């Protein structure tokens, strides 16, 4: 039989040991930093998007906006993500690219939509970028590569436009850490399957881009910011497995075709 006295002593030691460790943490500072980070996230997202608006043409065609919004809304609804937290912007740019900004801003280039063979490929990329937002990868990347103090100073007007431009460039044309990329891929597959969207086309999209990874072209921005496309495609296929899901299209085929037509006008 176990000694109840010894068990009691162990419990007491563990309790006070845990209490001592937690007591060493300055929780006020921790929560203050979190509040500062949250406020910075909101202000920074607005600031960076306004910078992009100044240099790029945003697509405001109602049909284009509503079509893409249907995809995003379905993904959010199926995954219990507050739709209003994802702010979608479509810009007229040939680069095959999409990227996330702080505070849930999701920028999608028209070139990505036009070079997606089907809506499932586009949905996969959208899910991947939403995952970066939901997993807080965007701010983690900026804090690591730019620094929290610089980010805070930007939101208080103490940094010039060149710093803001470089920050936008960091998010739109430089890669995330390999572990963060894989985490976002896996999360994206979960989003897709819960929304009853076949994840295989997303893997095929990565296979397609992997064939062009060695091509020197400005149009393959998403390749340079998301390297190792073939390896990623393989573990997406492996992770999604043979789950028995009745996949459904979000957009009607004629809506998808018309979306592309509108972007080419």
């Amino acid at each position: 039989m176990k000694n109840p006295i010894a068990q009691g002593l162990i419990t007491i030691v563990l309790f006070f040991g845990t209490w001592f460790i937690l007591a060493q943490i300055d929780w006020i500072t921790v929560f203050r930093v979190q509040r500062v980070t949250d406020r910075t996230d909101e202000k920074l997202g607005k600031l960076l998007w306004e910078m992009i608006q100044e240099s790029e043409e945003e697509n405001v065609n109602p049909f284009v906006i509503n079509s893409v919004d249907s995809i995003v809304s379905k993904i959010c609804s199926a995954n219990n993500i507050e739709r209003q937290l994802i702010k979608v912007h479509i810009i007229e740019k040939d680069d095959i690219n999409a990227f996330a900004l702080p505070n849930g801003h999701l920028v999608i280039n028209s070139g990505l939509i036009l070079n997606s063979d089907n809506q499932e490929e586009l949905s996969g990329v959208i899910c991947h970028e939403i995952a970066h937002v939901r997993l807080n990868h965007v701010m983690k990347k900026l804090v690591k590569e730019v620094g929290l103090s610089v980010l805070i100073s930007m939101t208080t007007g103490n940094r010039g436009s060149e710093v803001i431009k470089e920050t936008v460039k960091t998010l739109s044309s430089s890669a995330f850490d390999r572990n963060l990329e894989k985490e976002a891929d896996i999360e994206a597959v979960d989003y897709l399957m819960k929304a009853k969207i076949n994840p295989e086309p997303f893997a095929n999209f990565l296979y397609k881009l992997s064939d062009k990874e060695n091509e020197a072209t400005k149009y393959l921005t998403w390749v340079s910011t998301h390297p190792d496309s073939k390896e990623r495609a393989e573990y997406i296929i492996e992770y999604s497995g043979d789950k028995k899901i009745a996949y459904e299209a979000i957009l009607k085929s004629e809506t998808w075709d018309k979306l592309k037509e509108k972007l080419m006008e």
Side-chain angles (χ1 to χ4, degrees), residues 186-215:
I186 298 303
E187 189 82 353
V189 173
D190 285 336
Y191 290 165
L192 288 167
M193 291 193 293
K194 286 180 181 178
K196 296 184 179 180
I197 303 171
N198 189 353
E200 186 175 347
F202 179 39
N204 292 338
F205 180 75
L206 292 170
Y207 274 126
K208 181 171 63 178
L209 294 188
S210 71
D211 292 336
K212 301 179 181 180
E213 281 183 328
N214 295 322
E215 293 183 13

Side-chain angles (χ1 to χ4, degrees), residues 6-260:
Q7 286 183 315
L9 287 172
I10 291 172
T11 301
I12 292 171
V13 168
L14 289 174
F15 173 80
F16 282 103
T18 303
W19 175 84
F20 177 78
I21 292 171
L22 293 176
Q24 308 310 304
I25 300 174
D26 185 351
W27 291 105
I28 293 177
T29 299
V30 170
F31 290 129
R32 184 183 297 124
V33 169
Q34 185 60 53
R35 285 198 299 272
V36 169
T37 302
D38 290 343
R39 288 198 300 270
T40 300
D41 182 84
E42 181 179 354
K43 292 179 180 178
L44 199 57
K46 184 174 183 290
L47 184 68
L48 297 179
W49 167 240
E50 287 175 349
M51 174 61 73
I52 293 172
Q53 278 183 305
E54 291 178 5
S55 59
E56 306 293 349
E57 180 184 354
E58 183 177 9
N59 189 306
V60 293
N61 183 290
F63 185 86
V64 172
I65 293 171
N66 291 335
S67 298
V68 176
D69 183 71
S70 295
I71 295 175
V72 176
S73 295
K74 173 64 175 180
I75 292 165
C76 289
S77 175
N79 289 278
N80 296 316
I81 299 170
E82 290 185 54
R83 176 62 187 87
Q84 65 208 42
L85 298 180
I86 308 299
K87 308 162 188 69
V88 179
H89 312 286
I90 301 167
I91 60 175
E92 295 290 347
K93 200 166 185 177
D94 291 335
D95 301 48
I96 303 174
N97 199 19
F99 56 94
L101 301 175
N103 199 37
H105 291 272
L106 175 56
V107 181
I108 301 173
N109 287 4
S110 58
L112 171 66
I113 302 174
L114 290 171
N115 284 278
S116 296
D117 290 337
N118 49 63
Q119 59 183 286
E120 287 80 12
E121 288 188 357
L122 175 62
S123 298
V125 175
I126 288 174
C127 283
H128 179 92
E129 296 303 329
I130 290 177
H132 277 317
V133 172
R134 299 285 294 162
L135 296 171
N136 200 33
H137 290 173
V138 179
M139 284 302 289
K140 284 180 181 178
K141 178 177 181 176
L142 288 180
V143 169
K144 179 181 178 181
E145 298 188 18
V146 179
L148 183 58
S149 61
V150 174
L151 297 176
I152 293 173
S153 68
M154 285 169 57
T155 62
T156 57
N158 293 326
R159 294 282 171 171
S161 61
E162 287 305 315
V163 176
I164 300 173
K165 287 179 182 177
E166 284 302 312
T167 304
V168 170
K169 186 177 180 180
T170 296
L171 291 174
S172 64
S173 61
S174 65
F176 279 86
D177 174 272
R178 177 188 288 258
N179 291 332
L180 297 185
E181 285 295 352
K182 185 168 185 176
E183 189 178 7
D185 280 336
I186 298 303
E187 189 82 353
V189 173
D190 285 336
Y191 290 165
L192 288 167
M193 291 193 293
K194 286 180 181 178
K196 296 184 179 180
I197 303 171
N198 189 353
E200 186 175 347
F202 179 39
N204 292 338
F205 180 75
L206 292 170
Y207 274 126
K208 181 171 63 178
L209 294 188
S210 71
D211 292 336
K212 301 179 181 180
E213 281 183 328
N214 295 322
E215 293 183 13
T217 170
K218 67 176 183 178
Y219 299 122
L220 294 174
T221 311
W222 214 73
V223 171
S224 63
T225 58
H226 299 73
D228 305 313
S229 298
K230 184 177 180 180
E231 177 187 334
R232 292 171 58 216
E234 288 171 352
Y235 65 62
I236 285 172
I237 291 293
E238 181 180 356
Y239 180 75
S240 56
D242 298 321
K243 296 179 174 64
K244 304 298 181 182
I245 298 174
Y247 296 121
E248 304 170 352
I250 297 174
L251 302 178
K252 294 180 179 179
S253 58
E254 54 266 33
T255 302
W256 173 253
D257 292 339
K258 187 176 178 180
L259 168 60
K260 287 193 164 189

